[in-house]
Amino acid sequence: MIKMKKLTLGYKKEKILKNVNLHIHKGEFVSIIGPSGAGKSTLLMSIVGGIKVFDGDFEVLNFDMENIKKKNLVRLREQIGIIFQGYNLVDRLTVLDNVISGMLKDIPMARAIIKYYKEKELKKVNELMQIVDIAKYSFKRCDELSGGQRQRVAIARALASDPKIILADEPISALDQKSAKKVMKILEKVNKELNVTIVANLHHLDIAQKYCTRIIGVNDGKIVFDGKPDELTEEIIEKIYEGELHK
Ligand SMILES: Nc1ncnc2c1ncn2[C@@H]1O[C@H](COP(=O)(O)OP(=O)(O)O)[C@@H](O)[C@H]1O
Ligand SMILES: [Mg+2]
C-alpha cells in the first residue's frame, strides 16, 4: 500500500526525513512514535502528497508520489481518510450530517444542500454510526458532544468514503484515558473487521504497544526502530526518545 525506499522528504530546502525505508502492507495497524519534532507528522502527511520528495522512491496505492498529477492526487486522497487531534468537524451540524459529508463525492452538491439523502446512503451512515457507537446521538449538534464522541464521529466520517487507508495524527492526545481507550478500540475494530490499513502517530507508548500490530520509531528524521510491539526493549525506547529530555 505504501512503499518508501531510501526516501528523503521535507519542505522547500529543508530535509526532514532522511533515507527512510518503509513498506506498509494491507491490513496493518502501524503506529509511529518518537519525540516531538522528529518528523512523525511529516511522515504521516506525506502519504497524501504535498510534501517534497528530495530523493528516493515513494509509492502510495501504486501512485508514484514524486511525479503524481493533480487529477491522480485527487483520486489518491479519495481513498485515504484522515483523523486529527482537533477533530475538524462542522460544529453547528448534526452528527449525521457530519458523517454523511464524508460521502460527498458521491452525493451531488444540490442534494447535500437540501439534505436530501437516499435510503441507501442513510443506511450506510447508520451502520457507520453504529460501528463507532455514536448512533444514539445522530441528531445532536457536534458542539454538544464530548471530545471522545467527536473523535468517534470523525472516524465514522473518514470511513464514509470507504478508504483503503486511515491516517491518524495524535488522535487521542486531547482525550482523557477512558475516551482514548474507546477510540483506540474502535480503530482496532475498523482495522480488523473492515480491513482498513491504519497508520497513526501516537504519543502514548503503552497504547501503541497494546493496539498496534507494528511500531515505527522515528528520531531526528530517521527510522531507528521497525518491529512488533513486543520487540521494544528499554534500550530501544531510550534510543527512540533520545534528545527529548534535553529540549
Ligand atoms: N509546514 C512546514 N514547513 C516547514 N517546516 C515544517 C513544516 N511542518 C513541520 N516542519 C518542521 O519539520 C520538523 C518535523 O516536524 P513534524 O513532522 O511536525 O514532527 P513531529 O510530528 O514528530 O512532532 C520540525 O523541525 C518542524 O519544524
Ligand atoms: Mg506531529
Side-chain angles (χ1 to χ4, degrees):
M1 303 224 113
I2 301 162
K3 284 187 208 164
M4 299 177 172
K5 209 171 144 195
K6 294 189 175 174
L7 183 63
T8 297
L9 285 172
Y11 305 96
K12 287 191 186 133
K13 284 178 186 162
E14 200 185 355
K15 296 174 180 171
I16 303 291
L17 289 155
K18 299 140 201 159
N19 202 18
V20 168
N21 290 300
L22 179 62
H23 276 207
I24 294 176
H25 305 97
K26 188 170 172 56
E28 287 194 282
F29 188 171
V30 179
S31 155
I32 302 170
I33 61 170
S36 108
K40 302 182 298 294
S41 296
T42 304
L43 179 62
L44 194 75
M45 295 321 289
S46 72
I47 295 167
V48 282
I51 309 278
K52 187 173 164 164
V53 175
F54 285 93
D55 201 14
D57 299 323
F58 187 13
E59 267 182 39
V60 181
L61 299 175
N62 293 320
F63 291 108
D64 172 5
M65 298 302 283
E66 199 177 359
N67 305 302
I68 191 164
K69 300 248 163 41
K70 235 180 171 172
K71 199 179 95 193
N72 281 338
L73 201 54
V74 173
R75 283 175 52 198
L76 172 76
R77 287 175 181 173
E78 282 170 0
Q79 301 179 67
I80 300 178
I82 305 177
I83 300 160
F84 298 99
Q85 180 184 338
Y87 327 117
N88 58 317
L89 303 171
V90 183
D91 278 344
R92 60 184 172 78
L93 292 184
T94 63
V95 168
L96 187 140
D97 287 327
N98 267 284
V99 176
I100 219 162
S101 75
M103 293 190 327
L104 280 187
K105 75 174 164 58
D106 304 318
I107 299 176
M109 193 48 92
R111 281 214 280 125
I113 289 169
I114 58 166
K115 296 190 181 166
Y116 172 73
Y117 307 124
K118 293 182 177 164
E119 205 164 317
K120 197 177 80 186
E121 290 156 357
L122 288 170
K123 189 168 167 257
K124 182 172 168 185
V125 170
N126 267 307
E127 279 167 12
L128 294 174
M129 289 192 299
Q130 263 153 32
I131 289 173
V132 303
D133 192 20
I134 203 83
K136 54 184 171 292
Y137 304 122
S138 318
F139 299 109
K140 267 204 174 190
R141 277 170 56 134
C142 280
D143 51 11
E144 293 173 62
L145 303 179
S146 72
Q149 291 165 343
R150 290 158 69 83
Q151 195 59 290
R152 276 144 53 199
V153 177
I155 296 172
R157 188 182 55 179
L159 288 172
S161 59
D162 297 319
K164 295 202 169 86
I165 302 171
I166 283 187
L167 305 177
D169 198 355
E170 308 270 4
I172 56 166
S173 55
L175 305 180
D176 61 82
Q177 224 174 359
K178 197 169 157 230
S179 314
K181 210 169 140 189
K182 179 141 190 178
V183 165
M184 288 309 296
K185 277 201 167 137
I186 287 166
L187 287 175
E188 188 181 40
K189 184 161 85 173
V190 164
N191 170 250
K192 284 198 178 129
E193 291 175 18
L194 306 179
N195 206 19
V196 178
T197 306
I198 302 181
V199 188
N201 286 345
L202 289 173
H203 206 76
H204 306 279
L205 185 59
D206 52 333
I207 287 189
Q209 279 181 296
K210 181 158 183 219
Y211 293 96
C212 300
T213 61
R214 177 177 173 191
I215 292 183
I216 310 284
V218 181
N219 185 299
D220 192 21
K222 290 184 276 292
I223 292 184
V224 295
F225 174 78
D226 180 355
K228 295 220 174 335
D230 59 13
E231 286 166 11
L232 272 175
T233 60
E234 281 298 324
E235 209 177 326
I236 294 169
I237 291 167
E238 248 173 60
K239 194 170 146 199
I240 295 172
Y241 288 99
E242 197 180 277
E244 170 130 294
L245 296 174
H246 309 297
K247 276 192 179 164

